[in-house]
Amino acid sequence: MDDRQQPKGIVLTEAQKKRRRERSIAIALALGVLVALFFAVTMVKGPGVLVRPM
């Protein structure tokens, strides 16, 4: 077997890997802010938001 086999699929450059990581971090931060916003709105509305007719 040859130890230097060609990698399968697309091989990203270091710059592309860095951009992908930055994009992933930005998406994670945006999602975290959205979760915190939903939590804050729920807390401001109070426990009455959980009491509703079925």
Side-chain angles (χ1 to χ4, degrees), residues 15-43:
Q16 289 172 325
K17 288 178 185 177
K18 184 176 186 250
R19 292 282 298 157
R20 177 188 277 183
R21 179 166 170 76
E22 290 172 353
R23 200 167 35 246
S24 296
I25 290 171
I27 291 170
L29 288 174
L31 185 59
V33 167
L34 188 61
V35 167
L37 179 65
F38 287 161
F39 180 76
V41 168
T42 303
M43 291 297 107

Side-chain angles (χ1 to χ4, degrees), residues 3-12:
D3 289 337
R4 296 170 29 195
Q5 294 178 357
Q6 292 292 330
K8 295 186 181 191
I10 298 172
V11 178
L12 299 177

